[in-house]
Amino acid sequence: MSTILGFLVLLIPILIVAAIVGVGYYFWMKLRYRTARSNQALIITGPKLGDPEKESNIFTDDEGRSMKIIRGGGYRLKRFQTATPVNLTSFQLKLSTPRVYTNGGVPIVADAVAMVKVADTLNGIANYAEQFLGKDQDEIESEIIEVLGSNLRAILSKMTVEDINSNREKFNHDVQEIAQKQLDLMGFKITSL
């Protein structure tokens, strides 16, 4: 009887310590696990991201900097890694040009609405992360408005009023095509203009 009692006295503290360690490990893992929602991407930075040849979601630039981009799933962070969510939802921008002189010398003022979002590609998300993570949405929007507005003014100055009115689809296509090249470098995509 005393042997069983001695065994229980020894076993109970071991079970209590094991339970505390188990609960602590559970909460540690819960803190380290990140899940990307359907409208988000997670930018993982830090050491030991994985093998870029085996994993297609690791982006490495020309200077050797790398990041892992997780979309639609979860990831357990390793030591010294951080996860930053990026919102992939589109947002609306209102553009208004100051007085612009057309090819025929006629002054006009143009208004436009653009729907823009972070690009879907690995390269696009990486470009966005490098240039815009940590910036407020207002700062991001003002930079995009500046790019779209300057392209809108440039195209208006090359067209006549008749061209703008008669062929709006070509005008819209030209603005999107030219502006999209610059927005690609920023990590954004025009969904409609």
Side-chain angles (χ1 to χ4, degrees):
M1 186 71 150
S2 66
T3 317
I4 294 174
L5 189 59
F7 179 72
L8 286 177
V9 169
L10 183 63
L11 183 62
I12 289 174
I14 291 173
L15 289 175
I16 291 172
V17 169
I20 291 171
V21 167
V23 169
Y25 180 74
Y26 170 77
F27 283 111
W28 170 253
M29 294 307 286
K30 189 166 176 67
L31 284 172
R32 301 302 295 164
Y33 192 80
R34 300 289 188 271
T35 304
R37 295 187 309 215
S38 60
N39 66 338
Q40 280 185 337
L42 288 177
I43 308 294
I44 310 293
T45 55
K48 299 181 183 175
L49 294 174
D51 186 4
E53 294 180 12
K54 293 180 182 175
E55 298 180 57
S56 62
N57 62 344
I58 297 176
F59 178 81
T60 305
D61 66 8
D62 297 335
E63 297 173 10
R65 296 176 294 195
S66 61
M67 65 183 72
K68 189 173 212 171
I69 299 171
I70 307 292
R71 291 193 57 202
Y75 183 76
R76 185 176 61 86
L77 298 176
K78 298 177 179 107
R79 288 186 343 156
F80 307 115
Q81 288 183 342
T82 60
T84 307
V86 172
N87 189 352
L88 301 177
T89 308
S90 62
F91 51 93
Q92 181 178 342
L93 299 172
K94 294 182 180 179
L95 308 169
S96 182
T97 64
R99 185 178 301 173
V100 177
Y101 289 92
T102 63
N103 192 11
V106 178
I108 62 169
V109 175
D111 293 323
V113 175
M115 295 298 292
V116 180
K117 67 182 291 293
V118 175
D120 295 332
T121 63
L122 185 67
N123 192 32
I125 295 172
N127 284 343
Y128 168 83
E130 186 174 325
Q131 296 176 49
F132 294 103
L133 274 186
K135 285 190 176 183
D136 293 332
Q137 184 67 20
D138 292 339
E139 291 178 84
I140 295 169
E141 288 178 10
S142 68
E143 287 186 38
I144 296 171
I145 286 171
E146 188 62 39
V147 169
L148 291 175
S150 65
N151 285 296
L152 184 62
R153 290 188 300 272
I155 291 170
L156 285 172
S157 68
K158 295 178 184 175
M159 299 178 80
T160 64
V161 175
E162 293 79 20
D163 291 339
I164 295 168
N165 284 328
S166 66
N167 199 350
R168 289 184 186 214
E169 285 185 28
K170 180 186 180 322
F171 170 69
N172 186 19
H173 179 265
D174 289 349
V175 173
Q176 272 190 313
E177 184 178 304
I178 292 170
Q180 187 59 58
K181 290 176 186 174
Q182 291 178 344
L183 289 179
D184 284 341
L185 300 174
M186 298 167 68
F188 287 97
K189 175 175 137 182
I190 301 170
T191 56
S192 70
L193 177 67

